[in-house]
Amino acid sequence: MGIIKDLLKEELENSIRIKNDYKEALKKSPGGSLIRKKIRGHKYYYLAYREGKKVKFVYKGKKLSKDCIEELKKSRHLRLKYKDLIHRLDKRIKYLRKALRGKEDA
């Protein structure tokens, strides 16, 4: 059982390292969602994000280039992907820790 336990330990270490890498990438990517508001017939773009329980809006401009809009949308999708991967790794880490705690047969 020593070989299997060593493999489980190695997998646990890899999972923790990968999770930390995803967390760092998540911190580096800009947060929030692009919102378009129509005020008195004019369209304005804002970046909406949550700060505690409040939602904050940062004015981005009256007109945004398609590249800027696509970049913000890709950033949001990437953040969601990282959050999902971190959630899956949390489950894997919990499972591996539980498996390593188990008793070996003598």
Side-chain angles (χ1 to χ4, degrees):
M1 285 302 245
I3 296 172
I4 294 174
K5 202 163 200 172
D6 290 340
L7 287 173
L8 289 175
K9 283 181 185 178
E10 185 179 333
E11 182 63 27
L12 177 63
E13 291 169 2
N14 288 338
S15 296
I16 291 171
R17 181 183 46 79
I18 292 170
K19 178 184 168 187
N20 290 334
D21 291 344
Y22 285 148
K23 281 187 174 183
E24 286 299 316
L26 193 60
K27 286 180 186 177
K28 291 178 184 176
S29 67
S33 298
L34 186 65
I35 304 294
R36 185 179 71 199
K37 291 184 177 184
K38 192 171 184 180
I39 302 171
R40 294 187 189 133
H42 299 283
K43 295 176 185 173
Y44 300 94
Y45 289 95
Y46 292 86
L47 189 64
Y49 64 95
R50 187 169 293 279
E51 193 172 277
K53 291 186 177 183
K54 294 186 176 185
V55 176
K56 302 279 185 165
F57 293 93
V58 177
Y59 179 69
K60 296 302 278 183
K62 193 169 182 177
K63 292 184 180 181
L64 290 180
S65 67
K66 289 184 180 183
D67 293 337
C68 183
I69 293 171
E70 286 300 316
E71 183 181 325
L72 289 169
K73 285 182 180 181
K74 285 180 183 179
S75 173
R76 183 168 188 274
H77 289 295
L78 193 61
R79 288 181 61 80
L80 292 174
K81 181 180 174 182
Y82 283 145
K83 286 181 180 182
D84 181 53
L85 290 170
I86 289 170
H87 178 70
R88 290 180 187 200
L89 283 169
D90 282 338
K91 285 184 177 182
R92 175 185 271 171
I93 289 168
K94 183 179 177 182
Y95 175 79
L96 289 169
R97 285 185 174 152
K98 194 182 284 189
L100 285 169
R101 256 195 325 257
K103 295 181 181 178
E104 290 184 23
D105 294 333

